[in-house]
Amino acid sequence: MRMTFALLGALALVGCGTSGGGSGSGMSAMNPTYAPTGEAKPKGSLEVVAFKGGYGIDFYEQAAKEFAAKNQGLDVKVDGNPRVWEQLKPKLVAGSPPDLMYPGWGMDHWALVEEGQLMELDKALDSPAYDGQGKWRDTFEESILKLGQKNGKQYVLPYFFNMQGWWYNPDTFAKNGWDVPKTYDELLALCEKIKAKGIAPITFQGKYPYYMIEGMLLPWTQSLGGKQAVDDMQNLVPGAWKSASVLQAAKMIDELRAKGYYQKGAVGLSHTESQTEFLNGKAALIPCGTWLYSEMQKVMPPEAKMQFMLPPAVKDGKGDPTAIQISIEPWMVPKDAKNASAAISFFKFLTSLPKAKEFVEQKATLMAIKGSDQANLPATLVEPAKAFRESKTVWSYIMRQWYPSLETEVENALTSMLNAEITPEQFCDRAEAAAEKVRKDDSIAKHKL
């Protein structure tokens, strides 16, 4: 399960900032820039702190040993835990942060940018790549690198990334002669066939409604109205949450409920409970990101298989049917880093193509480094990698980080609709009312993509 944003408000020292690639205003001029120091080998002490989530920190620890061995005179220390942002807060306040950090999504990195807590990294990106071949920035996938920019300047750097989609068991589909649905109409027809077999067509992580928001509501809004429709929702454009695209997407979610295509009781299931139901063959489809395999591999039945698919698109919609929704896992260098040069050098090593391929193979996730998908891909990454290569549109849902109160109300309203307590129209009314409340609250910093 991805890190939620419930603790974003805990970082009281900062306000909110604007997201990647945006043109937001009001940014402080406090942010220092990284000044390359030539090709001198890094020396001294390097402190790295990383979120210890589903992928652990063992890869970074091993890489630190390798890097230190290559650079005599450099001592690299890697530390981390599942709630690492709580330890980072006082360090940032005191002006004694680590040199390189990956705090996870429990900390609002755009708020850190707004307060000048992070180093601007464009000069570092324009310096040579780890192998000396071209600029470092050119080793990253451009569309993903942009997600770490504000006002055209780079403050956070991507590493691995998650892609949102749906999953199915290819053996079950082949056994029953079912085709993977590419459109919503095909999905409806398939669900009827699955239901006739006594299997729930779709299960979902009902205790965490954002899975449905990111797996159905937003992709179908994009499919119907294009990326602009989703951008308008996140940009708090008046009326965006009541647009025809959002309403139709909500109606599609409700139609699946009305036809009995959701697993009974899914609204009360946690992420692991619903995913276990899927792996045990109790449900044929589940919305989830590309972290699914890593999260569930230890409890997967021997016969279970999973394969990725994009959410079925709406036929003749305005949106790009190849569009993919991703989220990056951002790394950053604090402005008060004692050894910024070593931090940059180490992250260059971590993002070098050989190390990126190693991470893909060991952790079964995609990387933001060009060519890293040419590694020996785990079976669960073949289709996500293909979808990324073929995509013409890459977008990210970051409103959950910007406006937690709005996200909470949208999630609550979606749950009410899934419980048949409100209509799709009422869902849109509640979401728009919550957006209006945020729009009128001057104490909440506003953002623009």
Side-chain angles (χ1 to χ4, degrees), residues 38 61 144-145 154 196 211 236 272 306 339 343 365 380 382 419 443:
E61 291 172 327
I144 299 178
L145 189 63
Q154 198 82 35
Y211 280 88
L236 298 180
T272 53
M306 60 175 72
N339 200 345
T365 188
T380 55
V382 172
N419 283 326
S443 69

Side-chain angles (χ1 to χ4, degrees), residues 156-221:
V156 302
L157 294 174
Y159 196 60
F160 65 90
F161 68 92
N162 299 306
M163 187 186 304
Q164 187 67 43
W166 289 22
W167 297 85
Y168 66 99
N169 186 321
D171 287 351
T172 300
F173 270 54
K175 177 182 176 181
N176 289 281
W178 298 334
D179 293 325
V180 176
K182 294 184 178 180
T183 68
Y184 180 72
D185 289 340
E186 291 176 2
L187 173 66
L188 292 179
L190 173 63
C191 284
E192 194 61 32
K193 294 177 182 178
I194 296 172
K195 187 178 178 182
K197 289 283 188 178
I199 303 172
I202 304 168
T203 192
F204 58 90
Q205 307 84 341
K207 286 186 177 180
Y208 304 102
Y210 62 82
Y211 280 88
M212 289 285 276
I213 292 172
E214 297 185 13
M216 292 188 182
L217 182 73
L218 295 173
W220 285 337
T221 297

Side-chain angles (χ1 to χ4, degrees), residues 297-409:
Q297 61 177 322
K298 293 181 180 180
V299 297
M300 282 180 63
E303 70 280 3
K305 290 186 179 180
M306 60 175 72
Q307 191 152 309
F308 179 89
M309 58 178 272
L310 291 176
V314 179
K315 187 178 180 180
D316 299 326
K318 294 180 181 178
D320 177 8
T322 72
I324 58 169
Q325 176 189 173
I326 70 170
S327 59
I328 64 171
E329 299 294 328
W331 288 68
M332 55 209 79
V333 179
K335 73 175 179 66
D336 292 323
K338 304 279 191 302
N339 200 345
S341 294
I344 295 299
S345 295
F346 179 57
F347 201 62
K348 283 185 178 182
F349 176 64
L350 276 178
T351 56
S352 64
L353 185 56
K355 298 307 292 183
K357 286 183 176 180
E358 283 183 32
F359 197 89
V360 170
E361 293 172 0
Q362 291 184 26
K363 302 300 182 179
T365 188
L366 295 173
M367 294 285 286
I369 307 305
K370 292 177 181 177
S372 58
D373 62 346
Q374 302 304 311
N376 183 21
L377 288 177
T380 55
L381 287 186
V382 172
E383 287 302 317
K386 181 174 181 286
F388 181 78
R389 288 194 299 268
E390 294 177 351
S391 65
K392 299 182 180 69
T393 304
V394 176
W395 59 280
S396 186
Y397 179 59
I398 47 183
M399 191 201 78
R400 294 181 63 231
Q401 185 179 11
W402 289 348
Y403 311 120
S405 62
L406 172 54
E407 172 67 20
T408 296
E409 177 57 13

Side-chain angles (χ1 to χ4, degrees), residues 217-267:
L217 182 73
L218 295 173
W220 285 337
T221 297
Q222 189 281 143
S223 184
L224 287 156
K227 180 176 176 290
Q228 188 62 51
V230 178
D231 287 350
D232 288 347
M233 297 162 75
Q234 301 194 79
N235 287 337
L236 298 180
V237 172
W241 283 89
K242 294 180 67 174
S243 72
S245 298
V246 178
L247 176 58
Q248 184 58 35
K251 287 181 175 180
M252 292 160 65
I253 294 172
D254 190 56
E255 181 178 20
L256 294 173
R257 175 204 60 78
K259 290 181 177 293
Y261 293 156
Y262 296 133
Q263 183 180 26
K264 186 177 181 180
V267 173

